[in-house]
Structure formats: structure tokens, C-alpha cells
Amino acid sequence: MAWPRAFQRGALLTRFSHHHVLVFLLTFFSYSLLHASRKTFSNVKVSISKQWTPNAHNTTAELPEEIWSSNHLFPNTEEATLFLGTLDTVFLFSYAVGLFVSGIIGDRLNLRWVLSFGMCSSALVVFAFGTLTEWLHFYNTWLYCSLWIVNGLLQSTGWPCVVAVMGNWFGKAGRGVVFGLWSACASVGNILGAFLASSVLQYGYEYAFLVTASVQFAGGIVIFFGLLVSPEEIGLPGIEAEENLEDSHRPLINGAENEDEYDPNYSIQENSAAPPVKAISFCQACCLPGVIPYSLAYACLKLVNYSFFFWLPFYLSNNFGWKEAEADQLSIWYDVGGIIGGTLQGFISDVLQRRAPVLALSLLLAIGSLVGYSRSPNNKSINALLMTVTGFFIGGPSNMISSAISADLGRQELIQGSSEALATVTGIVDGTGSIGAAVGQYLVSLIQDNLGWMWVFYFFILMTSCTILFISPLIVREIVSLMHSRRAHILSE
């Protein structure tokens, strides 16, 4: 099959500039650092729990029991574990709320300032939460909850801003494969966080937070001085101006019959060559075609994806009796499958110039992979293979919705030349998804405790089916549009 000219030219336009490479790397590692601090908290939960519940570990008689206990939070490990779960929940909900607000702010202020502020401020909160409180031996549940809520709000500035910056630099024609590869930043952040935490955990969990916060703060400074939020900042034409050079260009999102071009004057930054544009409201962004269906679909899909992120190591240890370290290492294969899936499916969607049909096929196969993985034998090699396949068909679509499709939704022809919506739309999609993920963590634990792991997988299958259901009108419309374009191509030959 001959590749569309738009894909060939768009890929060349975004491939050979060192500015594009720099923007790709800076946004990639900035979000990786944000994710690394989240992963650090997960990696040191056992150490934190021990510090908060010292009764079981007080083997000396140097201090009276009442004096020892008064300096700590909980009388037993179970209560400490429950509180750690509460911190996860409040973080996810505050993160979800923050995403809606951060997107709106990002479309009205300089994206570089917002991203840098979020990274540096979040680093300070992480330092206060994990390091300063331990150095001062000050333990208070209300303080911990307050700090973690603030951290969720500050961390929410990351994703809308980095997606908006990437959307300013990388055109729609080659966006699928570029964003598919770029969306591996979260997985890289997980690996980085685990490495940073494990390297200093022997000295105390407070040093894991200290190292992560320091690296993240330094990253925020680099972003402030080094990130270019749009080509117009250095006098280069925007991606829409480049796309205007192409002979034909078909929409990837709305399936309209007319061929659309974006506004060449779009820029987060004001400049003398282009008049300032007006950012649209939250309600206007919600009313854009495809935003609500993809947001609801992502709420279901992110629930499944994050459940694997939070529960997979525990499931492997609990269900198969494998050691915790082995389960942690094996769970990496799910992320590997998601990275490969997001990149390959993004490439295919670029070639077809349609996103929804690729998502539909992947999600249908994801249902089969969930059935297969739920029946995996007690064999690490087979389990890793099935896990990789499951990550390919679930993590891949999740990465594509949160990155490439969000960028497409914020660059529709309905808002060209009059308004900015990229960060706002990204915040809406990812915020809705985070609400689903937060609710899902509670539901997974509830279902597992009462019905068992097999019913958890049935729940995942139901949520994956709901994902397909929410985007089914878009799937039908894009398939019909694709058939019409193929028929017209054949007739023209």
C-alpha cells in the first residue's frame, strides 16, 4: 500500500530538526521525573510503614513503651497500610481535579513557566513530605494528607503542558508514531524512580525522597531556561504553516468530509507576526467533537491500565507465591508491551490517517488477552509473554488516547485561528481518566477481597468493553470515512 503523501511529508518535516529533538527529550524527561517521584513513594511504602509503627520493631528497653509510641503514628502495620492507601486515593483525586484546572491555566499562561513551577514546587512538597518530616521526627496524618493533596495538584501541571508543547512542535501527519514513542516517558519514570529509591534506601527512606526531589527540582530549572514551547518563539513557522504546504490532508479525529488545515498563527506565545488568540472556556472545550467520548473511554481504560500498574506485583506474589522482588521485575514486561503497542499502533494510525479504528481493533484483542492472562499457568516465562501481549493491547491504546489523540482533539478545525485548547483538552481527557483510575483502585481491592482475582479480570473485561462502547460512534464514522477515501482513491486511478 502506498503511504499517504501527508504522512511522508509530515514525517520528514518533524524528523530532521535539532529543535524537535531537544523539545522531545526535554518534555520526555520532565514528565519522567514527575512520574519518578510518584514511583518513589510506592517503592518505600514498606520502610515508611515500619517507621510509622515501631512497636513491633522495638526490641530494646532503652525507652519506655509509651514514650516510644508517642513519637509515631499507628499502633500496628495494618493501620499504617490503610493510611498509605488513603494517601494514594487523595493523591489521585487531587491530581484529577488539578488536571482540569492546569489545562485551562496552560492555555492562558506561558507553558514553560507553568511546567517549571509545577516541577519545582512539587519537588519541594515531596522533600517536605518524605525528608523534612523524618529529619524533624514530626509525624502527623493531617499534615501528610495536606502535603499529598497539594502534591497531586502541582503534579497535574505536567501532562497538559508537555502534551501541548509536543502538539506545538509535531504535526498531525506523523504525530501517532512520535507520540507513541514519547508516551513511554511514564514507564521510563517508573524505572528511574525505582532506581533512585533503591540506590539510597539503605540509608533511610528520607534519602530516597531527597534524591528524587533534588533531581526533579533541577529538571524544573532546566525546563525554565531551556524549553521552547513553540517554533514561533525562535522565528520558525508553526506546524500548521508547514502542513499548508501539503496537497491533501485528511482529519484524524472528526472524519469530516472537507480537508482541514490548522491555523498557521497558533502559538502559546505572543509574537509580532501573529495576533494574540483567545483561549476557549472549559465548557467550550468539552463541547468539541470527540472530547467527551474519548474522556469517558479513557476513564474506563485508565482504570484498567492503572490497576495493572498498582496491583500487578501484588497479584503475582499473592496468586502464584512468587517472591516480591521477582514479581516487581516481572511486572516490567507490562510496561514494555505498552511502549511497543503505543508506538506501533500510533504508526499504523498515521498510515491510515484514522485513530479510532486502530483503537477498536486493539481493544477487542485486549479482551482476548485479558481472558488469556487470567488463566496464565504458574510459569514465569509464559506469564511474562502473556503480560507483554496484554500491555501491548491495553497500555498501547491508553498511551495513544492520553497523548496523540488528545493533541488531535485540541487542534481541530473548529477552533483554528480563533482559540487555544490543547492544554485544556488534554487536562479534560486525562483528568477524567484519573478519576476513573482513582475509583478503580478501591473497586479492585473490594472485588478481590470478596470475590477473588478471577472476578477482577471480569471487571477489567467489562471496563475495556465500555471503552469500545463510548467511542463506537467515532469508530463507525471514521471507518465510513476511510472507506469513502479508499473508494475515491481507486476511482481516481
Side-chain angles (χ1 to χ4, degrees):
M1 180 184 68
W3 291 1
R5 283 177 294 177
F7 174 79
Q8 293 173 328
R9 295 179 182 178
L12 290 174
L13 285 169
T14 60
R15 186 176 296 170
F16 297 110
S17 168
H18 70 278
H19 294 296
H20 291 84
V21 175
L22 182 61
V23 168
F24 184 101
L25 293 176
L26 285 177
T27 53
F28 184 99
F29 285 108
S30 64
Y31 194 72
S32 295
L33 293 177
L34 289 170
H35 234 266
S37 65
R38 302 180 206 174
K39 187 64 175 177
T40 298
F41 177 66
S42 300
N43 289 338
V44 301
K45 280 183 176 179
V46 174
S47 298
I48 294 178
S49 179
K50 289 180 179 179
Q51 185 63 24
W52 287 352
T53 57
N55 289 340
H57 308 283
N58 182 15
T59 59
T60 69
E62 296 178 0
L63 290 175
E65 184 71 20
E66 61 273 11
I67 296 178
W68 182 284
S69 299
S70 65
N71 292 326
H72 296 81
L73 283 176
F74 305 104
N76 54 64
T77 304
E78 288 73 21
E79 291 189 22
T81 303
L82 180 62
F83 181 68
L84 289 171
T86 301
L87 288 176
D88 283 334
T89 302
V90 299
F91 174 85
L92 282 173
F93 273 113
S94 64
Y95 180 73
V97 173
L99 283 168
F100 293 110
V101 179
S102 297
I104 297 174
I105 295 175
D107 277 333
R108 287 159 174 78
L109 300 178
N110 188 302
L111 288 169
R112 180 175 62 253
W113 298 348
V114 177
L115 179 58
S116 178
F117 170 79
M119 293 181 67
C120 293
S121 301
S122 172
L124 294 176
V125 172
V126 170
F127 169 76
F129 176 92
T131 305
L132 191 59
T133 55
E134 180 58 30
W135 283 351
L136 299 176
H137 298 290
F138 183 78
Y139 311 105
N140 183 278
T141 55
W142 290 106
L143 175 63
Y144 283 129
C145 284
S146 299
L147 287 174
W148 226 225
I149 289 173
V150 173
N151 187 40
L153 294 173
L154 292 172
Q155 288 240 343
S156 68
T157 61
W159 191 250
C161 289
V162 293
V163 172
V165 172
M166 285 288 290
N168 288 343
W169 281 91
F170 292 89
K172 180 161 48 174
R175 187 176 287 154
V177 63
V178 172
F179 273 70
L181 182 62
W182 175 83
S183 60
C185 55
S187 299
V188 173
N190 296 337
I191 298 172
L192 178 62
F195 171 75
L196 292 176
S198 61
S199 63
V200 297
L201 191 56
Q202 57 182 322
Y203 305 109
Y205 75 83
E206 64 271 25
Y207 292 98
F209 285 106
L210 175 62
V211 171
T212 304
S214 300
V215 174
Q216 181 176 310
F217 189 89
I221 299 299
V222 172
I223 290 297
F224 182 81
F225 289 103
L227 181 63
L228 298 172
V229 301
S230 68
E232 292 90 340
E233 273 198 337
I234 53 176
L236 295 177
I239 58 171
E240 298 86 352
E242 292 179 339
E243 288 172 350
N244 283 333
L245 299 175
E246 300 171 5
D247 296 326
S248 64
H249 188 250
R250 296 191 178 275
L252 289 170
I253 283 295
N254 54 18
E257 295 181 5
N258 61 306
E259 296 175 359
D260 63 291
E261 296 291 343
Y262 297 133
D263 170 30
N265 294 327
Y266 178 91
S267 174
I268 294 296
Q269 310 299 323
E270 295 184 7
N271 58 62
S272 58
V277 292
K278 180 182 178 182
I280 67 174
S281 68
F282 178 86
C283 293
Q284 288 174 319
C286 289
C287 293
L288 290 174
V291 171
I292 294 300
Y294 273 117
S295 297
L296 295 175
Y298 192 50
C300 298
L301 188 58
K302 192 170 185 177
L303 184 155
V304 179
N305 195 43
Y306 261 52
S307 295
F308 272 91
F309 172 75
F310 283 115
W311 291 97
L312 187 54
F314 179 80
Y315 166 74
L316 296 174
S317 299
N318 182 267
N319 196 57
F320 297 107
W322 297 339
K323 295 180 180 179
E324 187 177 13
E326 295 176 339
D328 289 340
Q329 294 174 359
L330 198 65
S331 65
I332 294 176
W333 288 105
Y334 180 83
D335 287 325
V336 172
I339 294 172
I340 299 173
T343 305
L344 182 58
Q345 291 167 34
F347 173 78
I348 295 174
S349 69
D350 281 342
V351 174
L352 296 177
Q353 298 189 18
R354 302 292 185 276
R355 309 281 193 217
V358 179
L359 280 179
L361 178 59
S362 180
L363 292 171
L364 285 173
L365 295 174
I367 295 176
S369 68
L370 285 169
V371 174
Y373 187 70
S374 67
R375 290 164 171 77
S376 173
N378 193 346
N379 181 286
K380 292 186 178 68
S381 299
I382 297 177
N383 192 285
L385 176 62
L386 293 174
M387 188 190 306
T388 305
V389 173
T390 304
F392 183 95
F393 291 122
I394 293 179
S398 179
N399 290 342
M400 193 156 66
I401 291 178
S402 65
S403 57
I405 289 178
S406 294
D408 291 341
L409 290 169
R411 288 276 195 182
Q412 302 183 51
E413 74 275 9
L414 292 179
I415 53 175
Q416 63 177 343
S418 60
S419 55
E420 299 181 4
L422 193 46
T424 302
V425 168
T426 302
I428 292 171
V429 174
D430 201 33
T432 308
S434 296
I435 292 176
V439 174
Q441 304 320 300
Y442 173 76
L443 293 177
V444 167
S445 61
L446 186 66
I447 295 173
Q448 192 274 327
D449 289 339
N450 292 277
L451 300 173
W453 283 110
M454 187 56 67
W455 282 93
V456 172
F457 283 100
Y458 292 153
F459 176 60
F460 290 164
I461 292 172
L462 175 62
M463 290 296 100
T464 305
S465 301
C466 289
T467 304
I468 301 174
L469 179 64
F470 281 125
I471 62 172
S472 57
L474 303 175
I475 295 171
V476 173
R477 186 167 59 187
E478 290 193 14
I479 290 177
V480 171
S481 175
L482 181 62
M483 293 175 62
H484 286 167
S485 64
R486 296 302 182 206
R487 187 179 301 113
H489 179 72
I490 293 175
L491 293 176
S492 65
E493 292 180 347

